[in-house]
Amino acid sequence: MLVKADVCVVGGGPAGLVLALLLGRRGIDTVVLEKHETFLRDFRGDTVHPSTLQLMDELGLGEDLERLPHRVVRQIELTYSNSGDDGGTFRPVDFERLRVAHPYVMMLPQWDFLELLAEHGDFALYRRCEVVAVNRRERRVTGVTARTPQGPVEVAAPLTVACDGRNSTVRRELGLKSKDFGAPIDVLWFRLPRSPSDPEGLAGRVADGRLFIGIDRGDYWQLGWVVPKGGDRVLRAAGLEAFRAGIAQSVPYLADRVGELRDWDQVRTLTVRMDRLYRWQVPGALLIGDAAHAMSPVGGVGINLAIQDAVAAARVIGDAFERGAPPTERELAAVQRRRALPTAGTQLVQRGLQRAVLAPAVTGRPSRPPLPVRLLDRYPPLRTIPTRVIGVGLRPEHV
């Protein structure tokens, strides 16, 4: 089957759907190829930050978003508690210090967010449509070939935009080079029931050389056990009983529920990467979001940074088509020029936090709160810096 469009968006994540929605509103014929049948998948990033909430207002979707089931986080807490030593609870990030319309993070299942965007977008969404090849004529990308249950689909478009994540097929097919910054951590994600007497919101806990991140999802916790790079192999080799015992020791209020983890299929490993393409575009194609720059999970900023990329890209692409032609490679390069500073700056902050806060917390040995955490807690005005980087970003985009 052959499908023709002005723009082919590969990947139905937040960046892909926001881009398609914006292009559709400008009358640009856009198709989105999503390899899964639904958006329902565990352990996707579910933090919708103030900058994205502002964008949803600008798109006229703010009230619809508020009606979806969600939790609100106004502060990020980090508790240190080693055996025989209560190090205290610190609040290095306080979103209420921001002078914005929404001074909080909305914890919203990503599949609900994506369905909302798909429902309100004027574009064609092809599900169960997995891109397997990038098509080119001479040096120019002319579209993609995808695999579906009904057979192969060829999408012909003068512009292809890759929004297909850190394991981007388009990125691999184009052979684009990146600068890899490495990462000292990985994360094991799982869920456990939540009790009304538990803490609320978004909380980190450092205890006896283990670091846990807890995301309050109402009736359950989405939990991340942060480990040294490759540490998941050590935990899995020790067995599930030892895994449950480690959770109970470090997060005592979960001790009565660890039995809910009955096999390793309930635990997903996120291999943390941080990199950035040297070049985000080639003739006929643009890469944005994690396809262009894989982010660390620190601060949960990846989704919001990708959406900012999409807004900037929609402006450049829309202006070009309104002038009567698809964007040139030089015009596409303007997206990278605009988004390079916030991307590099955010990654710099993430790398610093990984070295100063996360790496010391996952050594397996008792640790005390590092100096940056103590300073941010002692001098509340300093919290504005990390809060703004996480909540708003270094160059917020607007519709």
Side-chain angles (χ1 to χ4, degrees):
M1 182 173 71
L2 175 64
V3 175
K4 294 184 178 181
D6 293 328
V7 179
C8 173
V9 176
V10 180
L17 294 190
V18 168
L19 174 62
L21 186 151
L22 291 170
L23 295 179
R25 289 190 176 188
R26 298 184 71 166
I28 298 169
D29 183 17
T30 305
V31 299
V32 178
L33 308 183
E34 166 56 40
K35 69 178 180 180
H36 297 98
E37 183 174 7
T38 72
F39 299 125
L40 183 61
R41 289 186 291 288
D42 268 345
F43 311 127
R44 302 184 73 158
D46 297 332
T47 54
V48 183
H49 290 214
S51 58
T52 299
L53 294 172
Q54 176 66 44
L55 281 171
M56 293 301 105
D57 287 345
E58 294 170 5
L59 289 168
L61 300 178
E63 292 184 2
D64 297 279
L65 197 69
E66 287 285 346
R67 284 193 286 268
L68 296 175
H70 66 274
R71 306 283 279 183
V72 167
V73 174
R74 301 185 184 276
Q75 297 176 326
I76 296 178
E77 294 187 348
L78 191 57
T79 299
Y80 282 77
S81 178
N82 298 310
S83 298
D85 172 33
D86 184 3
T89 296
F90 301 82
R91 295 173 179 84
V93 174
D94 181 359
F95 295 105
E96 292 187 321
R97 301 191 69 85
L98 295 175
R99 295 182 179 180
V100 295
H102 303 278
Y104 53 83
V105 166
M106 182 183 288
M107 306 304 301
L108 173 72
Q110 190 178 123
W111 50 85
D112 288 339
F113 180 49
L114 296 179
E115 289 291 358
L116 176 69
L117 295 173
E119 178 184 346
H120 287 84
D122 184 14
F123 54 86
L125 173 60
Y126 290 80
R127 302 177 191 252
R128 300 181 70 186
C129 192
E130 181 180 4
V131 171
V132 294
V134 174
N135 302 328
R136 279 170 280 195
R137 184 177 297 115
E138 297 178 351
R139 292 182 58 249
R140 185 174 186 85
V141 173
T142 58
V144 298
T145 298
R147 179 171 54 217
T148 76
Q150 291 75 38
V153 172
E154 182 178 341
V155 180
L159 177 63
T160 297
V161 184
C163 309
D164 50 343
R166 63 183 57 219
N167 297 312
S168 169
T169 298
V170 175
R171 174 172 170 168
R172 183 180 66 248
E173 286 281 303
L174 294 176
L176 297 176
K177 304 299 182 183
S178 64
K179 181 176 179 59
D180 189 348
F181 298 102
I185 59 168
D186 289 327
V187 185
L188 283 78
W189 287 108
F190 55 98
R191 62 163 66 181
L192 286 175
R194 182 180 175 276
S195 169
S197 61
D198 290 349
E200 297 181 352
L202 182 62
R205 189 174 184 91
V206 181
D208 300 308
R210 305 185 187 99
L211 170 58
F212 289 87
I213 305 298
I215 301 174
D216 174 3
R217 306 308 299 270
D219 59 349
Y220 70 91
W221 284 106
Q222 181 174 323
L223 294 154
W225 185 337
V226 184
V227 298
K229 175 64 65 178
D232 64 314
R233 294 191 298 271
V234 177
L235 289 178
R236 291 176 188 271
L240 195 58
E241 183 59 38
F243 187 80
R244 291 192 291 252
I247 300 169
Q249 179 183 352
S250 297
V251 193
Y253 59 82
L254 296 177
D256 61 343
R257 284 157 265 172
V258 293
E260 297 290 328
L261 291 172
R262 297 185 178 91
D263 61 64
W264 285 112
D265 289 341
Q266 296 171 265
V267 181
R268 302 277 187 87
T269 299
L270 170 65
T271 301
V272 177
R273 281 174 37 203
M274 190 185 300
D275 62 29
R276 188 167 67 244
L277 288 180
Y278 291 108
R279 183 161 53 102
W280 297 14
Q281 73 288 322
V282 298
L286 172 70
L287 294 88
I288 61 173
D290 272 5
H293 46 75
M295 307 298 290
S296 164
V298 173
V301 297
I303 294 173
N304 301 279
L305 202 68
I307 289 174
Q308 302 284 326
D309 286 357
V311 175
R315 188 179 304 118
V316 170
I317 296 167
D319 289 350
F321 274 102
E322 286 187 355
R323 290 193 295 268
T328 64
E329 185 179 9
R330 183 174 181 178
E331 289 172 326
L332 292 176
V335 178
Q336 180 178 355
R337 287 196 300 272
R338 179 167 180 83
R339 300 302 304 159
L341 175 62
T343 299
T346 303
Q347 289 182 328
L348 183 64
V349 172
Q350 288 186 324
R351 288 157 59 196
L353 290 173
Q354 285 180 162
R355 288 193 302 268
V357 179
L358 300 190
V362 299
T363 60
R365 300 183 299 274
S367 60
R368 64 191 297 264
L371 180 60
V373 172
R374 300 198 306 273
L375 287 174
L376 290 170
D377 192 72
R378 183 176 300 174
Y379 304 105
L382 292 178
R383 299 177 196 170
T384 303
I385 300 171
T387 299
R388 185 163 187 85
V389 171
I390 293 172
V392 178
L394 299 178
R395 178 176 279 169
E397 303 288 345
H398 296 279
V399 177

